Amino acid sequence: MSSTPILSVVVPFYGVEDYLLECLESIQSQTLRDMQVVLVDDGSPDNSIEIAERVAANDARFQVIRQKNAGLGPARNTGFEHAVGTYLTFVDSDDIVPHRAFQSMVDSLERTGSSFAVGNARRFSRTSGVRQSWAHARPCARDAVATHILERPVLAYDRMVWNKVYRRDFYTDHAYAFPPIKYEDWPVTMRAHLDALTVDVLKTPTYYWRERESGDSITQQVFKYDNLLDRVVSAEMVFDVLDRQASSAVRSMANRHLMEIDMVAVAQAFAVAHDDDVERLLALSKRFVDRLEPPHAGETRYNQLQYHALRSGDADLLRDLARFRDEGGLVGGTTVSRNRVKPWRWTLNYPGRKNAATPSKLYELPFTSLTLRSLVTSVRWVDGVSDAHGAREDHAAHDALEIEATAEIGHLEATDGDAVTVSLVNGIERVPLDVETFHTIDASRHRGPVGLRFRVEREQIASLGATVWPLRFEVSRTTAGVRRTTMLTGAGAGSPQFPRGRFLTREQYMQPGLTAGNVYCLHRVAFPTVLTDVTADDSSLTLRGSLSDPARKVSIVVFRPGGEVEFRATVSEGEDGFAHFEATLDAAAVLAGDSPDDPFLHSATRRLALRTEFGDFDLTWVDHAGDVITRQDDVAVAITRSRFGNATLISGPVLPSVRRVSEADGVLTLRGEHLGLPVVDHLVWRKYLPGSDDHVDLPVEVTRQGTDFVATTTLVDLVPTEDLPTQPGAPAADYTLFFVDEEHENPVAAQPAAIADLPIEHLTGGRTILATSVAGGTRVQVR
């Protein structure tokens, strides 16, 4: 490390012995090596200090500072006092940092001279996997260099300190310091945004924000009075900054965010507040809403209702509204009542309709707000002649694509007598399809007649003549005399995410999936380059396939952030009239110099293409029936398929995975690859308890069959004796398949071939048991 490191990283810690090492290892593995890491022990009561000191003893870049417990803000200030780097960043001790995060932000600042860089963030947990952080989706939706909050007001939503790298002299010149409260980030971050010369925004995730199952992190302790007090004090500091420096557009955006997050937290506290706390909670609420701008027209009606209830200080109304939300009253959209005298008018069945504190117009639902919502829930090919998912030679086989979906008009209760139609849309042409309705889980998480099932024949599509791709599906429903029509949208978990495709003709491949506007379509790939076979040996993967056009120079290219890796292929002419290729990918060469993208899953996903003298072509893997995996030391390297049906290379830890899923007579069977791991007696269905890191593990019966394993579960055994949903609308029980032994405690991934088998629904004793996949994991949910 140089005398003045490029970057100083401040990591305060308190009571995080279960997470600290993972955090520090993610910092150690950064591609930016020249850094100082200041670990601040804020009087931690557990073994966190031993972990920190052990890391510091083995890495000279790390130093440990100890202080009496003062809180996260003061601990960050202490760390800053010891920071000497040209740049400065903060990391919370239960989170993790992607491999290239610091380098990418520092490089951006070196190029632009901006005051600080903002990176996108992902949320992650053991059960929910990795997903986009809601708080960062809008401000980091696109890259922007040398911008500013005054020209991009949506940056007011960027309230966290830890997804940034600051110039230390900028930070010093403005004398930033965190107050000794929770929610200490936003007052500092808002000031920094307004003080900055310019700011760089990176769409790429630079931070992984942990979501604990126990809900014991600061941001999850929302309904404790002391926590709410700190939230309001933080908001008041933000209001002060806005009043001094912000434009009207920035103030409006910040107020909108305060209403969406902080006001809802204050209002919802009335659902659980003890009678002795009500008066001081009302006083705290008044402090907050007195500074808050009135809601704009686009704010949700329910948030507007809670705003007016807070303004009036009506504790009973606030309790009713908060409990209504807590009990799931908003899940799927609140029901409505029809005006008997004026039947074209509808009234939302929210609490407080006759209370003077809440404007009556907020309960009036315009007729235009009764919109049709749809979601694709299952996509399967039926009546096929074999399990080969559409080889070129059988393109004339009599196959049909069967789609199941839900379609319901928001706020109205669907009935068995509703009229439902589905049409295949080819440009301006509508082709009516036969549709069957059935009962399934609706948007309110109840069982009702909202399901629809229809088929489109492959021959039917081939006979369309002039075809305008992509083909879409138009759904119409009439409920309570209200008719609504929309394009089929959305892709639920399971097969809609990884649907199988089919050849329409020898030269046209057809792939279901989403397109722009979240519309579910049938896409066409003309003259695809087809991957027909993949085999693995101890250290390599061999790919074989066919080309529609002959080529002399052919290779397989693996695209990596650090550069391409190219493997030469041989080409031969086949009797089927196509050119055939074969290439062997050496796993060691694929991995050399590469590193995981995902610091939580320790995995990397790399695009594959076939390169010829005519360009690069994606590999359509038609017959994908499971990933093909080889190992390089302790890393698994596999060829899998993307959601659009293209072959993709992934690498990550050696772990078992599920390849196929089936159900018969109430027994769920999982077939997968164990990769030499001791899966017998070590696969469990894990259910986390609400508000706790405690869990219940139910053993799974497992047998090994060569390189595979077979796991079976009697589904009725997963029905809980007591329903424990984690939040309104959540399943009564939610199980994740885990592999647990002395060295592992990991969710078991579902391969795309397994996801294409899902969802599987089983009904027993009035319960719906759903085998599905969430965030790539293998799940069973009970409702």
Side-chain angles (χ1 to χ4, degrees):
M1 186 176 73
S2 61
S3 57
T4 302
I6 292 177
L7 177 68
S8 289
V9 185
V10 175
V11 187
F13 62 89
Y14 177 89
V16 287
E17 63 179 352
D18 292 337
Y19 312 107
L20 182 59
L21 183 59
E22 186 177 12
C23 172
L24 300 185
E25 287 177 342
S26 75
I27 295 172
Q28 285 182 302
S29 67
Q30 292 293 302
T31 54
L32 191 153
R33 305 294 298 169
D34 186 11
M35 59 182 171
Q36 167 204 25
V37 185
V38 183
L39 308 179
V40 182
D41 174 23
D42 188 35
S44 186
D46 61 0
N47 294 321
S48 298
I49 183 63
E50 285 81 359
I51 296 170
E53 289 179 337
R54 185 166 65 249
V55 171
N58 293 301
D59 192 330
R61 299 175 299 171
F62 288 68
Q63 65 185 95
V64 179
I65 308 298
R66 304 186 71 163
Q67 68 175 33
K68 293 182 179 180
N69 179 246
L72 181 56
R76 284 185 180 143
N77 297 335
T78 297
F80 169 68
E81 292 170 2
H82 291 81
V84 297
T86 304
Y87 297 98
L88 170 71
T89 191
F90 298 91
V91 176
D92 281 0
S93 52
D94 56 350
D95 298 334
I96 48 182
V97 186
H99 189 61
R100 302 175 184 85
F102 293 159
Q103 188 73 63
S104 61
M105 287 193 282
V106 168
D107 286 350
S108 182
L109 294 175
E110 292 279 278
R111 289 191 299 269
T112 66
S114 289
S115 302
F116 63 92
V118 176
N120 206 343
R122 296 282 189 264
R123 296 227 71 173
F124 72 98
S125 74
R126 287 167 289 187
T127 53
S128 297
V130 179
R131 63 193 187 282
Q132 171 66 48
S133 162
W134 176 87
H136 301 87
R138 293 184 63 191
C140 300
R142 58 181 176 84
D143 291 328
V145 297
T147 187
H148 196 273
I149 194 172
L150 294 178
E151 65 183 42
R152 196 174 177 184
V154 73
L155 287 173
Y157 274 59
D158 175 45
R159 64 193 291 171
M160 311 302 185
V161 70
W162 33 244
N163 62 325
K164 300 171 179 62
V165 167
Y166 301 88
R167 291 186 182 276
R168 189 167 61 87
D169 54 3
F170 164 77
Y171 196 92
T172 302
D173 289 347
H174 289 89
Y176 297 123
F178 295 97
I181 59 171
K182 301 181 182 73
Y183 307 101
E184 73 295 328
D185 298 50
W186 206 8
V188 173
T189 301
M190 182 59 72
R191 274 190 59 201
H193 267 299
L194 290 165
D195 291 338
L197 178 63
T198 59
V199 172
D200 297 343
V201 179
L202 280 66
K203 182 179 179 180
T204 301
T206 62
Y207 199 84
Y208 272 48
W209 179 15
R210 187 181 300 273
E211 184 176 51
R212 301 188 197 176
E213 275 77 16
S214 63
D216 61 357
S217 67
I218 290 172
T219 53
Q220 292 172 273
Q221 299 173 16
V222 291
F223 301 139
K224 297 179 180 178
Y225 178 82
D226 291 344
N227 191 66
L228 288 168
L229 175 61
D230 282 354
R231 185 185 283 273
V232 171
V233 171
S234 172
E236 289 172 333
M237 293 178 176
V238 171
F239 283 127
D240 291 342
V241 174
L242 294 171
D243 290 345
R244 288 196 306 269
Q245 296 178 257
S247 65
S248 59
V250 172
R251 280 197 300 272
S252 176
M253 191 66 70
N255 271 269
R256 181 173 182 175
H257 193 39
L258 283 159
M259 181 166 290
E260 293 172 344
I261 302 298
D262 303 82
M263 187 205 73
V264 170
V266 172
Q268 283 304 112
F270 285 90
V272 295
H274 295 295
D275 291 340
D276 294 342
D277 289 331
V278 168
E279 287 303 318
R280 62 175 182 164
L281 189 55
L282 285 171
L284 186 64
S285 303
K286 188 175 188 312
R287 280 175 54 180
F288 178 77
V289 295
D290 280 351
R291 301 287 301 271
L292 191 65
E293 291 181 358
H296 59 85
E299 186 57 66
T300 68
R301 287 168 177 263
Y302 209 75
N303 285 356
Q304 293 186 59
L305 288 173
Q306 289 193 310
Y307 170 83
H308 288 289
L310 288 168
R311 292 286 300 176
S312 70
D314 189 328
D316 291 336
L317 175 58
L318 285 163
R319 279 191 192 277
D320 290 342
L321 288 167
R323 287 173 177 170
F324 182 81
R325 190 195 291 258
D326 260 8
E327 292 167 2
L330 300 184
V331 176
T334 306
T335 58
V336 293
S337 300
R338 199 168 197 164
N339 191 303
R340 294 181 180 180
V341 178
K342 300 176 180 179
W344 60 90
R345 290 189 177 180
W346 303 81
T347 303
L348 290 159
N349 295 323
Y350 291 145
R353 189 167 61 186
K354 296 182 179 180
N355 191 301
T358 53
S360 59
K361 66 179 181 179
L362 294 179
Y363 294 88
E364 298 172 2
L365 186 71
F367 188 68
T368 53
S369 295
L370 298 173
T371 57
L372 182 62
R373 300 174 299 193
S374 64
L375 178 70
V376 180
T377 56
S378 176
V379 179
R380 291 181 172 89
W381 290 93
V382 296
D383 295 335
V385 296
S386 71
D387 195 45
H389 310 309
R392 291 189 180 193
E393 290 74 15
D394 71 350
H395 65 268
H398 182 72
D399 280 324
L401 180 68
E402 182 177 89
I403 294 178
E404 292 182 357
T406 60
E408 53 192 303
I409 299 175
H411 305 291
L412 299 183
E413 185 175 353
T415 69
D416 290 314
D418 289 356
V420 181
T421 63
V422 177
S423 299
L424 178 68
V425 180
N426 176 31
I428 61 173
E429 179 186 8
R430 264 68 173 167
V431 180
L433 302 174
D434 292 335
V435 60
E436 171 191 356
T437 61
F438 60 94
H439 285 239
T440 188
I441 302 298
D442 62 19
S444 300
R445 304 300 185 261
H446 302 129
R447 198 166 184 85
V450 298
L452 54 93
R453 182 183 298 112
F454 60 91
R455 293 182 180 185
V456 55
E457 302 286 341
R458 187 162 54 166
E459 288 183 347
Q460 185 179 20
I461 296 172
S463 67
L464 287 174
T467 309
V468 181
W469 297 95
L471 300 174
R472 297 164 294 160
F473 301 96
E474 185 178 75
V475 182
S476 177
R477 186 177 197 111
T478 302
T479 301
V482 178
R483 185 174 185 269
R484 292 290 183 265
T485 301
T486 187
M487 291 299 170
L488 186 64
T489 57
S495 56
Q497 298 285 341
F498 284 92
R500 297 182 171 105
R502 283 288 194 278
F503 272 98
L504 185 61
T505 67
R506 281 170 58 93
E507 291 79 24
Q508 296 185 85
Y509 184 73
M510 190 167 55
Q511 175 66 52
L514 289 173
T515 190
N518 201 36
V519 177
Y520 209 82
C521 298
L522 292 179
H523 305 266
R524 182 190 65 156
V525 181
F527 303 102
T529 299
V530 177
L531 183 64
T532 56
D533 182 51
V534 183
T535 57
D537 64 18
D538 291 340
S539 60
S540 63
L541 295 158
T542 299
L543 283 64
R544 302 175 184 87
S546 62
L547 298 165
S548 294
D549 296 320
R552 290 177 297 173
K553 296 180 180 180
V554 179
S555 60
I556 298 292
V557 183
V558 182
F559 296 87
R560 310 184 315 179
E564 304 170 355
V565 183
E566 193 167 351
F567 300 91
R568 293 300 300 270
T570 60
V571 183
S572 60
E573 292 297 324
E575 295 180 358
D576 56 3
F578 294 101
H580 292 258
F581 67 86
E582 179 177 323
T584 298
L585 281 58
D586 178 68
V590 167
L591 296 174
D594 202 6
S595 57
D597 297 321
D598 191 311
F600 175 57
L601 301 175
H602 305 289
S603 63
T605 301
R606 301 288 175 250
R607 180 192 168 207
L608 288 177
L610 185 126
R611 175 169 293 172
T612 74
E613 60 266 37
F614 306 111
D616 294 342
F617 303 91
D618 291 327
L619 295 167
T620 300
W621 195 355
V622 178
D623 292 329
H624 177 265
D627 297 353
V628 180
I629 308 169
T630 188
R631 292 179 58 167
Q632 178 65 30
D633 299 326
D634 59 348
V635 179
V637 181
I639 305 296
T640 185
R641 71 179 286 263
S642 71
R643 296 186 177 191
F644 199 71
N646 296 327
T648 303
L649 186 142
I650 58 173
S651 61
V654 176
L655 290 168
S657 58
V658 175
R659 186 176 62 248
R660 298 305 295 263
V661 185
S662 61
E663 182 268 336
D665 299 324
V667 176
L668 185 71
T669 300
L670 310 175
R671 304 176 188 276
E673 296 170 84
H674 55 68
L675 300 182
L677 296 169
V679 291
V680 178
D681 298 327
H682 292 288
L683 291 185
V684 299
W685 288 112
R686 174 164 293 182
K687 176 179 67 174
Y688 281 91
L689 304 179
S692 171
D693 279 333
D694 295 336
H695 54 263
V696 175
D697 287 347
L698 300 180
V700 181
E701 184 176 336
V702 182
T703 58
R704 287 170 59 128
Q705 298 178 356
T707 59
D708 292 349
F709 70 85
V710 178
T712 57
T713 302
T714 302
L715 288 174
V716 71
D717 293 343
L718 299 182
V719 176
T721 57
E722 180 184 5
D723 289 357
L724 295 173
T726 55
Q727 59 185 354
D734 195 345
Y735 297 91
T736 303
L737 188 67
F738 266 74
F739 171 57
V740 181
D741 68 0
E742 293 180 355
E743 299 180 6
H744 302 88
E745 190 173 3
N746 300 88
V748 177
Q751 298 179 15
I755 296 175
D757 293 333
L758 301 171
I760 293 174
E761 186 177 283
H762 178 73
L763 302 179
T764 180
R767 295 291 196 139
T768 301
I769 305 177
L770 194 70
T772 187
S773 177
V774 177
T778 308
R779 300 279 278 271
V780 171
Q781 299 174 341
V782 183
R783 295 189 180 275

